[in-house]
Amino acid sequence: MHLTARLIDSRGETGRQIDANKAASTLRKSTDIEARGGSRAAGMNGNGPNKMVDPLEDPLPGLGTYEDFNTIDWVREKSKDRDRHREITNKSKESTVALLHSVSDAFSGWLLMLLVGLMAGALAGGIDIAAHWLTDLKEGLCLVGFWFNHEHCCWTSNETTFQERDRCPQWQSWAELITGTSEGAFAYIVNYLMYIVWALLFALLAVALVRAFAPYACGSGIPEIKTILSGFIIRGYLGKWTLIIKTITLVLAVSSGLSLGKEGPLVHVACCCANILCHLFTKYRKNEAKRREVLSAAAAVGVSVAFGAPIGGVLFSLEEVSYYFPLKTLWRSFFAALVAAFTLHSINPFGNSRLVLFYVEFHAPWHLVELVPFILLGIFGGLWGALFIRANIAWCRRRKSTRLGHYPVMEVLVVTALTAVLAYPNSYTRMSGAELIAELFNDCSLLDSSQLCGYKPPTNTSKTGVGNSLADRPAGEGLYTALWQLALALVFKMMITVITFGMKVPSGLFIPSMAVGAIAGRLLGVGMEQLAYYNHDSFIFKGWCSPGADCITPGLYAMVGAASCLGGVTRMTVSLVVIMFELTGGLEYIVPLMAATMTSKWVADALGREGIYEAHIRLNGYPFLEPKEEFGHSSLTVDVMRPRRSDPALAVLTQEGMTVGEVEALVESTRYSGFPVVVSQESQRLVGFVLRRDLLISIDNARKRQEGVVSASQVVFTEHAPAQADDGPPPLRLRGIVDLSPFTVTDHTPMDITVDIFRKLGLRQCLVTHNGRLLGIITKKDILKHMAQIANRDPDSILFN
């Protein structure tokens, strides 16, 4: 069975791009949406005195490039790179200069990874420091220097205590600065209002900058990164303006107090760095497939600097975002993640010599009985993940289809005001998401003054837990207060995150999802701890939880809950477990994490197969062929291909007999981006495939550089030009731009095999034949529409080619 390439109809199909207005205008501007070819030597040779220059030596500008909102030809790009590498290798044996060039070409990939790691690590460190400072600015100001955040301001103070370690004379709240006192109702109202004003200011700046300078800087970026890595082109999405604006507005959005994180957008930032640095190296600048290998490594770098988890970052790129991930990319991802983590560690943004804000170490071991509550947390995470995806997609679809989508600035300001008004009274919603998770992960020690450690004093002080941790104790008034505040925070976070994710500001989902799970886990952990304390003689706890021992670690439950909810939303498994144990530094908790994460995925998959990123890809209509989705229908390619019975006949070129005028008329009368070349209209025997863009560029170039080419000139795609009249114009030979080995399948090929071919080879199109005769053509878009119909979804929701 043969395989092949196909023409794509770009006829006026617009849709919701990342920024709808920009994308729609782009689609209107380019009527020939997809036109590339499979031939490496895209050139022409003419007869007569003005013979065409060989394009291998003098390439025509524009050949082999891609329009916006199109899919690359993976096979062609990989073939081009192999030819380039073969040529360099052969030349390296001829001279020392050529050998040095060969060595530098081989080394350029590692150098690029080094630069990506350094740049992304430096930016992530700056984002962490700036976000921490602006978050604290909502509550007060440092008198020693306004550029110090709350923690750094009080570092040098000698007047802090363990009970009030966050209070020092150098740091004053806005009430103290304005009214001179921090006590009383009026001071509370002043602080409340200043908190809301700063939150609204940060959110307004963020959404205004995104709208004015870089519409692509909004959102998480991971759905679009996944689509780009699958071969789709979105010009400007990874450009310098997007990088600058996303870096600035990410700080502002996180600091505004909205229920979002910076981890997802950091993947986008790292990919922007990689894309910009790719332009320094010819090998990556001129080859879209090679550039996507670099972007896969950059995705690993993004997670590495977001969580301080380089190994988890590499696995995240492999499991979640990458479409093509060869072994070489794995090594380079590992190296780039290492460099980025080292750079971030050198900057030390949190001042604790750790890569993350919520690094913790637990001391007590876990017991087999605790697997039951861990699995319960996994079930909760799966239920929450499936519920969140459905609610968020419904809200985003409502945003697209109603007037709500016309007022993105107003939406951001209203959600920010609502978040600030409801969050301030509760200390657990007032603090940033990362600080909340750090608080929930914390294992209570002797010197802890947190409300979550508000236990009654132990009756027997001679028995304590392992290390610096305390034995299980009865809950005190402070802990009960913290628990009902956490319960309210859980409801608030679950609801507000649904409407926050997807707004026109940079917004990540990792931290809000982890916060929901960490709250649920901490509540369950404290419940288990009290159950063990008051029932240590029962058959459940007898034998491993003696009185005065540190049996239950509530912080561990918070960690397991965080992993469960994040897994339920994103459907990550292996990479998530590795990220979580890299955060905590404890290898002994891998089994609870694995059990909860796997349970979460099973439960979430039972309620809906898509993760949040796949759901947003489908919502936006991107041409993404999900590798994990199975094709279970028994249809054949003849059922999916075009033309259908009611469609016009397939537009083709014959290998000889057509004039330049007839070819130009055919191109002008259709919107297809490529045309099959056949022996004749009668035989329909397939010769090859030529792309619209290459055809137009070649004819235009011939008219300018070759004498005698007129509308009456014959266009031939054969090796040798046919005999011609002495007084006729010279023929135009275009065999060089024909892909003579297009991928083809027969009309009776099962669609599941065809879908696998498209996935594994990254095809854009494939020709369909019957007994060697051309029958039709099938594109990635045709496949996606067919799969949507099978799943009872609207096939017109696939908006791009």
Side-chain angles (χ1 to χ4, degrees):
M1 179 180 58
H2 296 84
L3 313 158
T4 173
R6 142 142 204 221
L7 48 127
I8 291 168
D9 186 355
S10 66
R11 203 170 339 213
E13 291 190 26
T14 63
R16 187 257 183 216
Q17 273 75 344
I18 312 143
D19 176 66
N21 294 333
K22 181 187 174 216
S25 65
T26 306
L27 284 174
R28 282 193 295 271
K29 278 189 243 171
S30 61
T31 57
D32 52 345
I33 267 206
E34 242 179 281
R36 291 330 139 252
S39 84
R40 343 182 278 266
M44 309 165 289
N45 291 314
N47 293 339
N50 297 311
K51 188 176 179 180
M52 272 301 210
V53 181
D54 187 347
L56 286 176
E57 299 173 3
D58 183 20
L60 298 178
L63 286 180
T65 58
Y66 299 91
E67 294 288 347
D68 203 2
F69 303 113
N70 284 277
T71 306
I72 70 168
D73 190 330
W74 283 92
V75 177
R76 178 185 186 182
E77 295 297 310
K78 297 303 291 181
S79 176
K80 279 165 54 179
D81 183 64
R82 279 194 298 269
D83 290 345
R84 183 199 60 81
H85 186 263
R86 192 180 299 117
E87 184 182 356
I88 290 175
T89 304
N90 292 337
K91 285 184 177 179
S92 66
K93 301 169 184 175
E94 298 173 3
S95 67
T96 307
V97 174
L99 179 62
L100 291 175
H101 179 247
S102 174
V103 172
S104 68
D105 180 76
F107 180 69
S108 62
W110 296 101
L111 178 60
L112 179 56
M113 290 297 101
L114 176 68
L115 295 175
V116 170
L118 290 171
M119 187 173 177
L123 283 175
I127 288 170
D128 286 335
I129 293 169
H132 202 171
W133 172 62
L134 287 181
T135 301
D136 288 348
L137 191 63
K138 298 205 302 284
E139 298 186 15
L141 195 66
C142 185
L143 301 181
V144 181
F146 72 89
W147 55 87
F148 288 119
N149 61 39
H150 193 164
E151 184 182 2
H152 292 174
C153 188
C154 293
W155 266 0
T156 56
S157 175
N158 295 322
E159 301 175 48
T160 55
T161 63
F162 280 119
Q163 283 71 33
E164 295 184 331
R165 65 184 67 185
D166 59 340
R167 295 179 66 89
C168 64
Q170 290 84 353
W171 179 269
Q172 291 197 352
S173 67
W174 290 110
E176 288 178 283
L177 290 168
I178 296 170
T179 66
T181 178
S182 61
E183 305 296 332
F186 184 65
Y188 182 84
I189 292 172
V190 169
N191 283 331
Y192 201 161
L193 290 176
M194 288 300 294
Y195 182 91
I196 296 171
V197 168
W198 279 112
L200 287 172
L201 177 63
F202 293 155
L204 177 62
L205 282 173
V207 70
L209 287 171
V210 167
R211 292 275 294 168
F213 297 104
Y216 286 162
C218 67
S220 159
I222 292 181
E224 287 76 17
I225 297 295
K226 281 176 69 94
T227 309
I228 289 171
L229 289 177
S230 74
F232 195 54
I233 288 182
I234 308 175
R235 300 280 180 217
Y237 197 82
L238 302 175
K240 59 180 181 299
W241 272 109
T242 304
L243 173 62
I244 294 168
I245 298 302
K246 186 124 190 176
T247 303
I248 296 169
T249 54
L250 178 55
V251 173
L252 293 168
V254 170
S255 306
S256 68
L258 287 166
S259 181
L260 48 82
K262 61 181 183 299
E263 284 64 27
L266 276 175
V267 174
H268 188 185
V269 167
C271 287
C272 286
C273 295
N275 185 62
I276 291 167
L277 291 169
C278 275
H279 287 82
L280 301 176
F281 302 88
T282 308
K283 177 166 71 171
Y284 298 101
R285 183 175 68 248
K286 293 187 175 182
N287 193 294
E288 293 287 350
K290 293 296 289 181
R291 191 183 305 181
R292 273 152 182 75
E293 292 179 21
V294 176
L295 295 179
S296 292
V301 170
V303 174
S304 172
V305 295
F307 287 106
I311 306 297
V314 174
L315 292 174
F316 171 81
S317 179
L318 175 62
E319 178 184 5
E320 189 63 25
V321 298
S322 291
Y323 198 85
Y324 175 66
F325 203 84
L327 195 58
K328 187 194 300 181
T329 304
L330 177 70
W331 299 332
R332 288 181 176 170
S333 300
F334 184 80
F335 174 67
L338 163 70
V339 173
F342 174 77
T343 305
L344 189 64
H345 188 273
S346 303
I347 295 172
N348 193 16
F350 304 115
N352 58 1
S353 297
R354 301 293 187 191
L355 291 174
V356 286
L357 188 59
F358 34 91
Y359 185 93
V360 290
E361 288 181 332
F362 303 127
H363 304 285
W366 65 277
H367 300 275
L368 194 62
V369 174
E370 292 181 277
L371 272 180
V372 175
F374 291 152
I375 289 173
L376 288 177
L377 284 174
I379 294 171
F380 170 78
L383 292 172
W384 150 246
L387 176 66
F388 172 81
I389 291 169
R390 291 191 180 187
N392 180 251
I393 293 299
W395 180 260
C396 290
R397 189 172 282 116
R398 181 180 181 81
R399 180 188 290 128
K400 285 179 61 179
S401 59
T402 64
R403 293 174 60 85
L404 178 64
H406 299 157
Y407 305 101
V409 176
M410 186 58 65
E411 181 192 9
V412 169
L413 291 179
V414 169
V415 173
T416 304
L418 182 67
T419 303
V421 168
L422 295 177
Y424 187 83
N426 188 338
S427 60
Y428 293 111
T429 52
R430 187 192 316 164
M431 65 178 67
S432 71
E435 289 175 325
L436 172 61
I437 293 170
E439 181 88 356
L440 295 168
F441 281 12
N442 183 43
D443 189 17
C444 291
S445 63
L446 292 166
L447 303 175
D448 247 312
S449 59
S450 167
Q451 269 195 318
L452 284 171
C453 299
Y455 296 91
K456 292 177 182 177
T459 53
N460 184 1
T461 57
S462 62
K463 288 187 178 180
T464 61
V466 183
N468 195 32
S469 61
L470 290 172
D472 290 346
R473 295 162 292 163
E477 186 178 339
L479 181 57
Y480 284 123
T481 303
L483 290 181
W484 72 258
Q485 285 183 338
L486 279 178
L488 291 176
L490 178 64
V491 176
F492 171 75
K493 287 280 186 186
M494 290 173 71
M495 296 177 66
I496 204 71
T497 306
V498 169
I499 62 174
T500 303
F501 187 68
M503 293 196 307
K504 294 296 182 184
V505 292
S507 53
L509 198 57
F510 282 27
I511 290 295
S513 301
M514 289 175 67
V516 167
I519 294 171
R522 188 80 187 203
L523 291 173
L524 181 61
V526 171
M528 283 292 295
E529 183 185 46
Q530 296 305 302
L531 191 66
Y533 178 82
Y534 288 109
N535 300 278
H536 52 77
D537 289 331
S538 69
F539 73 96
I540 298 175
F541 301 104
K542 196 171 184 179
W544 64 272
C545 187
S546 57
D550 181 18
C551 305
I552 307 292
T553 307
L556 173 60
Y557 284 73
M559 186 180 81
V560 172
S564 300
C565 280
L566 184 53
V569 170
T570 63
R571 311 299 161 87
M572 294 158 54
T573 51
V574 180
S575 55
L576 177 58
V577 171
V578 174
I579 287 171
M580 294 306 293
F581 90 71
E582 282 188 276
L583 289 182
T584 59
L587 286 171
E588 59 186 304
Y589 304 113
I590 284 184
V591 172
L593 286 170
M594 289 175 69
T597 304
M598 207 63 246
T599 305
S600 170
K601 179 172 170 56
W602 284 336
V603 171
D605 280 347
L607 299 174
R609 298 290 296 176
E610 291 180 322
I612 186 66
Y613 301 129
E614 290 77 21
H616 272 268
I617 286 172
R618 184 162 57 81
L619 177 70
N620 295 337
Y622 299 137
F624 182 75
L625 210 50
E626 175 58 58
K628 304 167 192 170
E629 189 176 350
E630 294 181 5
F631 187 89
H633 204 261
S634 59
S635 52
L636 303 175
T637 51
V638 71
D639 304 321
V640 182
M641 73 171 196
R642 296 192 183 273
R644 304 283 173 85
R645 287 184 177 85
S646 57
D647 293 343
L650 191 64
V652 298
L653 299 171
T654 56
Q655 67 177 358
E656 56 187 43
M658 295 184 73
T659 64
V660 170
E662 289 171 342
V663 171
E664 288 179 328
L666 177 64
V667 172
E668 287 298 320
S669 64
T670 62
R671 304 295 178 95
Y672 301 120
S673 57
F675 302 92
V677 180
V678 295
V679 173
S680 66
Q681 291 285 2
E682 294 74 26
S683 75
Q684 291 289 309
R685 298 287 178 183
L686 184 63
V687 174
F689 190 82
V690 63
L691 294 164
R692 177 195 190 100
R693 181 178 173 85
D694 291 353
L695 196 60
L696 290 173
I697 289 173
S698 301
I699 292 175
D700 183 59
N701 184 76
R703 285 186 182 274
K704 291 176 181 176
R705 297 171 57 183
Q706 195 174 0
E707 288 184 12
V709 174
V710 293
S711 295
S713 297
Q714 293 283 318
V715 177
V716 293
F717 298 99
T718 54
E719 189 74 39
H720 304 288
Q724 63 183 71
D726 295 336
D727 56 344
L732 177 61
R733 296 182 55 201
L734 298 181
R735 187 176 178 83
I737 65 169
V738 180
D739 177 10
L740 296 173
S741 56
F743 284 91
T744 62
V745 293
T746 67
D747 53 339
H748 289 291
T749 304
M751 271 306 296
D752 55 346
I753 294 177
T754 307
V755 170
D756 275 345
I757 291 169
F758 270 80
R759 280 178 180 151
K760 291 181 169 62
L761 293 177
L763 299 184
R764 295 182 309 165
Q765 63 267 328
C766 187
L767 297 176
V768 182
T769 61
H770 176 74
N771 293 336
R773 292 166 56 92
L774 179 65
L775 204 62
I777 191 163
I778 185 168
T779 65
K780 182 191 275 190
K781 188 173 183 179
D782 294 331
I783 289 176
L784 290 167
K785 283 190 170 187
H786 182 65
M787 293 173 77
Q789 282 180 320
I790 291 173
N792 294 319
R793 300 196 304 262
D794 179 15
D796 292 327
S797 63
I798 311 299
L799 301 174
F800 304 98
N801 287 310

